[in-house]
Amino acid sequence: MVTSLIRSKQFNRGRLLGRYWRIILDGTGLFYFKEKHCDNCLCTTRTMDDGKKIKMYYHKVLEAKIAFSDNVIVSLGTEFIENESENVSKQDCEKNAAKRLLKKIKKDYPRLPVCIQGDALYATEPIMKLCRVKTEAMNVFEYKYEKEDKEKKKQEIRFQWVSSLEVTKRNLEEMILAGRGRWKIENEGFNNQKNGLYQIEHLNSKNSNAMKNHYLLTQISDILMQLYLAWNPYIKELKQTIKNTSSGLLESFRRLTVTEEDVSYIYRYTTVYIE
């Protein structure tokens, strides 16, 4: 699905500096258990308010989201963060998962020009070696502004990035906007999927493979939903919620009769223009 969207060239305007597809990396926790769920569980110790320490078992995932536009941020790749067995000397982590995921992306999209974006966790030499084919200089740039808090006191907000891309006066604003846009994977990505329609933290099965399959199916559903929302101008005008939109789509599958005209669209090449 993602390959088709790239080849359609409908989203070429969303590329960084007119060339690079922005790939945003970020991890999130999915399921938490008080008791060991499976041999692949990650484990952490938490200190409670009363000082008592308890073990928590959990499952985590790393996502690579491709930013097609401000409104369409979809999954390009998924890597589950999990232990191979219970008795590992060192637990799996987000950085190790990133190494695996980046190798998969490079294999699946060998000629795709991309810019990998992530938080400070990824500003390390092993990750950067996977992202480049030669030694390059790293550029540092900063953005700051002032805003008033609730008490009308001025606060200085600062952001700082490192990049192998050359920063110039001509592209500085675009680079800053791209850097600030990294949070979109948390908002359009994980936040919507956790608190909105999909409820990805809800445990639908205790079987590890079923849990993964459900998560991957959610990403496919999210791609279709984001494209539908971005393409349909009436949803914005009606101020309809995503949940109501989803319910309406489901009802249309249940009740509306498929006509010969509908079937004919399957055999046609159709171009959809997105705002």
Side-chain angles (χ1 to χ4, degrees):
M1 293 172 70
V2 173
T3 300
S4 297
L5 291 172
I6 292 171
R7 288 178 176 174
S8 71
K9 299 182 179 180
Q10 293 294 318
F11 296 99
N12 279 3
R13 289 180 299 173
R15 294 182 297 179
L16 178 64
L17 306 180
R19 179 183 179 189
Y20 302 102
W21 295 99
R22 293 170 49 216
I23 310 297
I24 307 172
L25 295 180
D26 201 12
T28 189
L30 291 178
F31 311 112
Y32 294 84
F33 307 93
K34 292 182 180 180
E35 298 178 355
K36 182 171 162 291
H37 165 261
C38 65
D39 288 342
N40 302 122
C41 280
L42 300 172
C43 181
T44 186
T45 301
R46 288 185 178 176
T47 303
M48 309 304 289
D49 294 337
D50 58 3
K52 183 180 178 181
K53 293 184 178 181
I54 61 170
K55 274 191 173 182
M56 293 290 294
Y57 297 88
Y58 64 101
H59 285 251
K60 196 173 181 180
V61 68
L62 176 69
E63 271 292 319
K65 300 275 189 179
I66 182 167
F68 282 124
S69 70
D70 288 340
N71 301 320
V72 182
I73 317 286
V74 303
S75 176
L76 179 74
T78 299
E79 185 68 22
F80 293 98
I81 305 171
E82 58 186 7
N83 294 328
E84 293 180 2
S85 65
E86 183 182 5
N87 299 318
V88 292
S89 58
K90 189 176 181 180
Q91 292 199 100
D92 196 13
C93 65
E94 190 172 324
K95 285 202 287 188
N96 287 336
K99 294 174 186 177
R100 300 193 299 269
L101 184 53
L102 288 173
K103 287 178 181 177
K104 290 179 182 178
I105 292 173
K106 190 174 285 189
K107 181 181 178 182
D108 293 339
Y109 301 92
R111 300 176 60 187
L112 190 69
V114 301
C115 175
I116 303 295
Q117 291 186 259
D119 57 25
L121 179 69
Y122 300 101
T124 61
E125 186 177 5
I127 298 295
M128 291 182 180
K129 279 185 176 179
L130 289 173
C131 298
R132 63 192 186 200
V133 294
K134 64 183 187 302
T135 301
E136 297 170 344
M138 300 304 295
N139 302 286
V140 181
F141 58 106
E142 185 180 72
Y143 170 67
K144 60 183 179 180
Y145 68 92
E146 285 187 348
K147 73 170 188 178
E148 291 184 348
D149 59 18
K150 294 180 179 179
E151 298 177 354
K152 300 297 182 180
K153 293 181 179 179
K154 288 187 177 181
Q155 288 183 319
E156 186 178 79
I157 309 298
R158 278 186 159 192
F159 299 92
Q160 197 172 62
W161 301 273
V162 294
S163 175
S164 61
L165 298 176
E166 183 181 3
V167 181
T168 66
K169 289 183 178 180
R170 294 182 64 181
N171 68 20
L172 180 60
E173 183 178 355
E174 186 176 354
M175 293 286 284
I176 289 171
L177 290 173
R180 292 292 310 277
R182 191 196 64 79
W183 62 269
K184 284 184 175 294
I185 190 173
E186 298 174 2
N187 189 30
E188 275 80 352
F190 291 136
N191 187 44
N192 285 344
Q193 290 182 14
K194 285 183 176 183
N195 305 316
L197 176 66
Y198 305 104
Q199 301 291 325
I200 60 173
E201 290 180 303
H202 176 73
L203 188 64
N204 291 275
S205 173
K206 291 185 178 181
N207 179 277
S208 293
N209 284 333
M211 288 160 54
K212 293 177 184 177
N213 289 336
H214 180 266
Y215 177 84
L216 294 172
L217 287 170
T218 299
Q219 302 314 308
I220 295 172
S221 302
D222 188 49
I223 292 173
L224 296 172
M225 179 58 74
Q226 285 195 53
L227 291 173
Y228 179 75
L229 292 173
W231 164 74
N232 194 330
Y234 302 110
I235 294 175
K236 289 182 180 179
E237 293 179 14
L238 295 172
K239 297 181 179 180
Q240 185 169 284
T241 65
I242 296 178
K243 187 174 183 179
N244 287 339
T245 301
S246 176
S247 299
L249 281 173
L250 184 60
E251 282 303 308
S252 70
F253 293 144
R254 287 175 176 165
R255 297 185 179 185
L256 296 182
T257 304
V258 178
T259 65
E260 291 184 3
E261 183 182 2
D262 295 328
V263 175
S264 70
Y265 274 101
I266 299 173
Y267 301 100
R268 281 193 235 166
Y269 178 80
T270 305
T271 302
V272 176
Y273 293 97
I274 296 176
E275 291 182 347

